[in-house]
Amino acid sequence: MKGTGSRERPHRDRSGRIIHSQAILYGLVWTSIQVMTLDRFPFVHSDEAWLSGLSLTMLRARSFLVTEPFFDVFPRQAHAFKILFHALQSGFIQLFGYQLKSIRLISLMAAMACLVMLHVHADRLFSDKKAALGFTILFSLQIQFLYASHLARQEILLLLVLILAGFLYDRSTAGRFWVMPLMIGLSAMLHPNAFIIAMMIGLVVLKDAWRKRIPRNRLLLYTGILLSCMVALTSVSLAMTPDFLTNYARYGSTFGMDTGLISRWQGFLAYFIKLFQQISGSYWLPDIRFWLILGGVVTLVSIAALLLAGRRIGMETRNGLENGLCGMGGFLMATFIIGRYNPTAILFAFYPILLLTGHLLNALWQSRSQWLRGTAIAAAGGLIAFSLVGSIQTIRPFTMKVTDPYELYLAEIRGHLPQDAIVLGNLSAGFALMDVPFYDIRNLDHVANLNGQDNNVPSTSISDPDKQMTTASDIEAYLQKNEINTVIWYEEYDYIIRNPMWRILYEEQSDSTAPSDMLMALKQVVEERGDLLHTFESKVYGTRIARFMDDYPWQISLYRIQP
């Protein structure tokens, strides 16, 4: 028997080395493709210019106490949340320059780290090394993951925190109940959506404490450290901005985060319906209908398997299914509690969806039935093939363009700005406007509330929530006070005037049935005092309405405003 074991070990080791080599080769190919498409897919979102613009400002000021210079009356305030993300961006900007590719590189590097940790974790979760590699490949080809790995936002970094926390917990790592909550709590310095991660892991800890698999004081330790992190970050934020809590609550109300339970539930359901139908305001959304359906199916099948099959399921599979369901439940609960339904946050749901899928397929593979084993292989191969084909079909139109529409858009603006330009424009052009004095159009939503005050109010202030009508005289006073002499007018604004439902893109509190007084007032000023400098077309960046991008030759006009 001992001799038999010694003969089999070299074969297993050799097989493991082959799989390991294949994983490295796949990772290199995957990374190379992502680097080549990093600045082409997806279309640039104004959030990327917004976040990186603030990071650039912090870098230049060498301080985290500054706010966005392009928002002077739009409510902004310095705080500790997101501060780590801006520090990361500032470092990359200093190393690689202020350009789209350098700030998107952070997301790509985080995605690469996600895949490495997923592969290491899957190698422990699943009985077969080939299954671990297949799981990692499936995750790497999922379109929402690819989208997040190319977008200069925080979701992919939080996903890395989620994967690391899950890895530490499943390995029963020493000190995990200190490290996990501390890591999750401090990740709020990337984005407050760290609360979602805390809930997803927290339900797993709660379940194991309730089942007496871990001492119940570990749940108290986990919760206590998270609360301590929240108190610490809030205290730092209050030191930076004394009115932080009041301002943050009032700003959150503009997104409906203070609504009642019925309205919140309606918004919760509408969130998933919109994701399914790819309905969005300014965010481009990939087609994830199949994955949402798969998520519902594997969730129900997992519940049924745990209830009906019971102890016939292996311990590792049963625990994996339970943890996956807790993760899914934590995501849903946290999303409902927050009440702000950002479409990019759906990324976090894919971790439990694919974990449940992997454990169910692994359970079939471990069956003695050749038919069930064959079904597992066919299903896994089908999912990988579907992901590969779907992602190629989605990304290919972005990469097949002969010229870069964003660079052309920026070049048209840069090439026709007056040398002394002080610009009122749109953050979608932020990468072209960061070296000139620039104010974003969303400031105009608040100028009527100044009531003759000095327009140079601190950006920590929050304007009166009872919005007044914006008039041409309000805008003229704002332009004069800031010495703005150049306005970039988008044909999209004319469309919004005719279709008030889209006012939400630029106005926080608005009547979606009445024409925008803000845009009409600005148009009046431009028509009466503006001299046309240049007009060009951009099918992609002439509008922020995602459904109309790359679909119509939107006109963009630069005007010189006479004093």
Side-chain angles (χ1 to χ4, degrees):
M1 191 63 125
K2 188 174 181 178
T4 302
S6 63
R7 286 196 299 272
E8 289 181 351
R9 189 175 296 109
H11 173 73
R12 290 199 300 270
D13 292 344
R14 186 164 55 252
S15 175
R17 286 196 298 270
I18 291 173
I19 297 296
H20 183 66
S21 300
Q22 290 174 342
I24 293 175
L25 178 61
Y26 176 78
L28 291 174
V29 172
W30 183 90
T31 301
S32 299
I33 294 173
Q34 306 318 311
V35 169
M36 290 188 293
T37 60
L38 187 59
D39 56 351
R40 292 297 188 97
F41 166 79
F43 294 137
V44 181
H45 191 273
S46 59
D47 278 3
E48 297 179 276
W50 184 338
L51 292 166
S52 62
L54 178 54
S55 299
L56 179 63
T57 302
M58 290 177 172
L59 178 63
R60 288 172 173 172
R62 298 187 179 279
S63 171
F64 291 116
L65 297 178
V66 296
T67 56
E68 299 89 333
F70 40 83
F71 289 132
D72 61 335
V73 292
F74 183 85
R76 305 304 299 159
Q77 57 185 332
H79 55 76
F81 298 93
K82 303 183 185 179
I83 203 169
L84 178 57
F85 180 72
H86 290 297
L88 283 171
Q89 280 200 333
S90 297
F92 272 69
I93 290 170
Q94 193 165 30
L95 286 173
F96 305 110
Y98 186 63
Q99 55 183 329
L100 180 65
K101 207 161 195 172
S102 63
I103 61 168
R104 283 189 170 184
L105 186 60
I106 299 172
S107 296
L108 181 57
M109 293 178 67
M112 293 161 57
C114 284
L115 294 180
V116 170
M117 289 308 307
L118 276 171
H119 184 64
V120 173
H121 194 187
D123 196 39
R124 178 181 175 85
L125 289 177
F126 305 125
S127 56
D128 194 304
K129 289 185 179 295
K130 292 180 181 178
L133 178 58
F135 176 79
T136 307
I137 291 174
L138 176 61
F139 210 108
S140 73
L141 295 175
Q142 205 286 315
I143 188 60
Q144 191 73 34
F145 177 77
L146 290 172
Y147 177 34
S149 69
H150 285 225
L151 194 65
R153 280 182 53 92
Q154 301 98 321
E155 283 79 14
I156 195 71
L157 291 163
L158 288 179
L159 178 66
L160 177 59
V161 173
L162 174 61
I163 293 170
L164 285 170
F167 173 75
L168 291 174
Y169 189 77
D170 285 340
R171 284 191 58 141
S172 299
T173 306
R176 58 182 169 154
F177 291 102
W178 287 92
V179 177
M180 282 192 317
L182 188 62
M183 180 174 61
I184 295 171
L186 294 180
S187 70
M189 290 192 294
L190 295 170
H191 195 281
N193 272 348
F195 175 70
I196 298 177
I197 310 303
M199 285 290 291
M200 294 176 74
I201 297 296
L203 283 193
V204 176
V205 177
L206 176 62
K207 178 259 300 182
D208 285 345
W210 178 62
R211 300 282 290 272
K212 298 182 179 179
R213 293 176 181 172
I214 60 172
R216 292 187 178 179
N217 62 3
R218 297 296 186 269
L219 174 62
L220 296 176
L221 180 62
Y222 175 85
T223 306
I225 293 176
L226 283 174
L227 290 175
S228 298
C229 288
M230 183 187 72
V231 170
L233 292 178
T234 302
S235 299
V236 172
S237 298
L238 287 170
M240 297 169 75
T241 305
D243 295 329
F244 167 72
L245 290 177
T246 302
N247 291 347
Y248 202 78
R250 188 177 297 172
Y251 185 60
S253 68
T254 64
F255 296 99
M257 296 173 66
D258 60 345
T259 57
L261 287 178
I262 295 177
S263 296
R264 190 175 292 258
W265 176 250
Q266 291 172 339
F268 181 73
L269 295 179
Y271 173 60
F272 290 98
I273 293 172
K274 289 179 179 179
L275 286 171
F276 190 85
Q277 297 178 343
Q278 290 179 270
I279 297 174
S280 173
S282 61
Y283 288 102
W284 174 85
L285 298 182
D287 185 353
I288 58 172
R289 289 175 295 179
F290 171 80
W291 298 102
L292 292 176
I293 294 172
L294 178 67
V297 170
V298 297
T299 297
L300 293 176
V301 170
S302 298
I303 293 172
L306 291 172
L307 292 176
L308 301 177
R311 299 189 179 279
R312 286 180 291 173
I313 302 176
M315 174 60 74
E316 289 186 356
T317 300
R318 185 164 68 248
N319 192 54
L321 293 179
E322 289 176 353
N323 290 350
L325 290 173
C326 286
M328 181 64 74
F331 169 78
L332 296 174
M333 288 175 60
T335 302
F336 178 80
I337 291 170
I338 293 172
R340 183 179 180 184
Y341 306 112
N342 194 312
T344 55
I346 193 63
L347 173 71
F348 306 129
F350 282 89
Y351 183 61
I353 287 174
L354 291 177
L355 275 181
L356 290 173
T357 302
H359 281 295
L360 289 173
L361 292 179
N362 190 54
L364 294 178
W365 172 249
Q366 291 177 328
S367 171
R368 297 179 180 179
S369 168
Q370 291 299 318
W371 183 83
L372 291 178
R373 289 170 65 89
T375 300
I377 294 174
L383 285 173
I384 291 174
F386 174 82
S387 299
L388 176 61
V389 173
S391 295
I392 290 175
Q393 288 181 340
T394 300
I395 297 173
R396 190 170 181 270
F398 292 85
T399 60
M400 291 301 291
K401 296 181 184 298
V402 177
T403 55
D404 185 338
Y406 193 62
E407 279 303 318
L408 287 176
Y409 168 61
L410 298 183
E412 288 280 1
I413 293 175
R414 289 194 197 105
H416 295 88
L417 283 178
Q419 288 187 348
D420 62 342
I422 300 177
V423 181
L424 177 69
N426 194 312
L427 260 177
S428 64
F431 287 93
L433 300 172
M434 289 306 169
D435 290 327
V436 299
F438 161 59
Y439 298 89
D440 184 72
I441 190 174
R442 275 167 281 197
N443 287 300
L444 301 185
D445 190 34
H446 301 272
V447 295
N449 289 23
L450 295 177
N451 295 323
Q453 299 176 36
D454 189 332
N455 279 335
N456 290 328
V457 293
S459 56
T460 57
S461 68
I462 300 293
S463 58
D464 188 342
D466 298 323
K467 183 181 179 299
Q468 303 174 30
M469 177 177 290
T470 303
T471 65
S473 60
D474 293 324
I475 292 178
E476 287 178 346
Y478 178 76
L479 298 181
Q480 184 177 5
K481 184 64 179 180
N482 291 290
E483 300 181 343
I484 295 171
N485 55 29
T486 306
V487 171
I488 305 177
W489 180 269
Y490 292 75
E491 186 182 356
E492 174 204 44
Y493 300 161
D494 293 304
Y495 180 84
I496 294 174
I497 291 173
R498 299 191 303 270
N499 299 271
M501 64 175 291
W502 294 107
R503 291 177 64 177
I504 192 64
L505 292 183
Y506 298 102
E507 300 174 62
E508 290 178 2
Q509 297 173 351
S510 58
D511 180 358
S512 62
T513 63
S516 170
D517 52 275
M518 180 191 87
L519 291 178
M520 288 193 299
L522 177 61
K523 185 173 184 177
Q524 180 183 339
V525 172
V526 168
E527 289 177 343
E528 293 178 355
R529 295 176 48 197
D531 294 330
L532 182 64
L533 297 175
H534 179 59
T535 297
F536 66 99
E537 293 179 352
S538 178
K539 294 179 66 176
V540 175
Y541 295 104
T543 180
R544 291 180 63 236
I545 304 174
R547 69 166 67 174
F548 299 139
M549 279 184 155
D550 207 22
D551 190 44
Y552 172 80
W554 298 92
Q555 285 195 341
I556 304 167
S557 300
L558 279 69
Y559 287 90
R560 180 77 173 193
I561 304 300
Q562 297 301 324

